[in-house]
Amino acid sequence: MLALCCMSAVLGFADEPAVVFTPRQQRRILQHSPVPAVPDDPTNDWDRDPAAAHLGQALFFDAGFSRNGQVSCATCHGPMIAWTDAQPLATGLETGTRHSPSLLNVAHQRWFFWDGRADTLWSQAMHPIEHPGEFDASRIEYVRRIHSDAAYREAYESLFGPLPPMDDEQRFPRDARSDSPAWAAMAETDRDQVNRAFANCSKSVAAYESRLRSVESPFDVFVEGLRQDDETKLAALTASEQRGLQLFVDEAGCRQCHSGPLFSDFEFHNIGIPTGHGGAPRDPGRFDGLAHVQRSPFSAHGPYSDDPDGARARRTASIVQGQEHWGSFKTPTLRNIERTAPYMHQGQFDRLEDVLAFYNTLEDMQLQDHHQEMVLKPLELTDAQLADLAAFLRSLTSPLPPKSLMGPVDPRTGKPPSEPIEGP
Amino acid sequence: MIREQNTMNMHLPAIAISLALVLGGCSSTLDHQLQSNDRAYEVSWSSDPAPIPVNEFFTMDVEVRRDGTLLASGDLVVDAAMPHHNHGMNHIPHIERTGTGRWHVQDMLFHMPGDWELYFDIKQDGVVHRAQESIEVD
């Protein structure tokens, strides 16, 4: 440790020139690893509950909630491709306007969606259900299906207590979408019951998603080596990867936004990438997202939050609204980046090399106006340096979460549905 | 007489300390000290955690004095920006008066590494007096 603080570390291989990290670079590198435990979510009392995670996993992989019976969360967040879909733009019932992000390590985020229009993981999970291009379903039919399916009902009621009497179709009319007159005509207490059951299911989905951790990459072994002055662990990164790391934390300025153990500040920036549709940007990004999150009845300060007066709620209420948020999007994590092509909010870039080429030249950058944040300058790196940077980014790949999290389960047990359920 | 004198001596330091506490003292125990741009006010502050980390929420304790005395009236607003980047903080900090001339600030977040300007706007009798300090977080 003393050696680490007082002199530069010399790390190299017999056949390649050694990489020398300054004390400042070393201090910065240590900020990127290890990934801490998943943060507690006080707005969700069930975020650590294994039974809730089982119910959530069953819901995640179930296409029966969508209007055509073919779309589940896993359609766009497929476990075999790092919980994303390898498509530029997501397709459920229709093709949307944004790219599906990976859900690996998602519970570390501060805001959800590219525009941060959800402030909790559980409230995020409610959106796809009613989105016309995704499930195109309604919360009332969602809750009715939980009620009419014996396994779901048992799992749900043992966690959250009785479901509303969904078979009473006078009180809970069929297909009463939340934007329809039929929904508006329902008793307020009945709407509240449906909302609450819908929120509870979503809290279970969040409990499942919190388990999607993937945090032990060669880079993390290297950082351990740096902390412990352990040669074997330091060898986890090649000389090229180490040179890329050095660029990342210093000259290339990437850590200005891709900071901390998740390589994301979890905040929003407009980096001016050319649009997927060509021409000027049309997507307001964070500018709309923050207005939405403050209005939503399902946000951290709303009646369905388990901590409506906590810090999370206060921070949602206190976001600064400014013109500079127009066209800005959340900084994505760079962990497992090798697995999650294509890149950016519209999947504009197919390969990491394309992303780096943009940062290197800022060619075709879409500038807004004088309100924009000004951080990026063309990097003007050599081809060899770009190759080092790409090599470093590929060293952020970790083993995927266990197989047991990769497919449908029985909501009561968390075991694959085919396995017999043990009696009481 | 002698005995009484002794008692007096024994109590003097204690009295001095309580007086200092009651009057707010003329100097602060907080880590940072600065003056408003018009030199009329002294601002002292400390952060938790200290030093201010990159992209982690932190809180601040702030004291404001005029002529060495904690302010009995007036308001304080704390804000920060990255002038080179053309942006401020993403949250409006939550500021609470905790006593005469003392405030507690929550939800401060320097979301990017680099040079920040920390602003203290002291409003008294309709006039705003600004104190500011440059902070590098890395």
Side-chain angles (χ1 to χ4, degrees), chain A residues 164-292:
Chain A
M166 299 303 295
D167 32 17
D168 183 344
E169 292 189 12
Q170 296 290 161
R171 280 174 62 193
F172 302 98
R174 289 235 157 240
D175 289 324
R177 297 179 68 105
S178 58
D179 52 3
S180 70
W183 172 260
M186 282 169 60
E188 196 180 328
T189 46
D190 288 346
R191 277 181 304 193
D192 177 64
Q193 284 193 52
V194 173
N195 283 343
R196 191 160 301 278
F198 187 35
N200 287 339
C201 292
S202 303
K203 287 175 182 176
S204 307
V205 173
Y208 161 67
E209 291 173 303
S210 307
R211 297 181 155 195
L212 303 177
R213 265 170 77 80
S214 171
V215 298
E216 284 153 17
S217 68
F219 167 71
D220 298 287
V221 178
F222 173 83
V223 175
E224 240 174 67
L226 208 55
R227 280 213 167 82
Q228 302 161 356
D229 201 11
D230 178 330
E231 296 264 344
T232 325
K233 288 182 177 168
L234 286 168
L237 292 193
T238 65
S240 165
E241 289 162 349
Q242 291 184 29
R243 288 193 300 268
L245 167 61
Q246 189 169 42
L247 286 166
F248 188 93
V249 297
D250 206 327
E251 193 182 333
C254 311
R255 75 182 276 279
Q256 291 184 94
C257 304
H258 297 280
S259 57
L262 273 296
F263 291 86
S264 168
D265 57 3
F266 310 130
E267 296 290 331
F268 305 84
H269 305 272
N270 184 344
I271 61 169
I273 30 171
T275 56
H277 46 76
R282 299 195 283 255
D283 191 335
R286 182 57 172 161
F287 189 73
D288 271 6
L290 56 78
H292 186 282

Side-chain angles (χ1 to χ4, degrees), chain A residues 371-403:
Chain A
H371 291 297
Q372 190 166 338
E373 169 185 80
M374 294 172 301
V375 179
L376 297 179
K377 295 184 188 66
L379 298 176
E380 296 174 348
L381 300 176
T382 64
D383 287 350
Q385 285 176 309
L386 290 175
D388 289 341
L389 204 43
F392 163 64
L393 293 175
R394 292 194 170 95
S395 78
L396 298 174
T397 304
S398 308
L400 291 175
K403 276 228 158 52

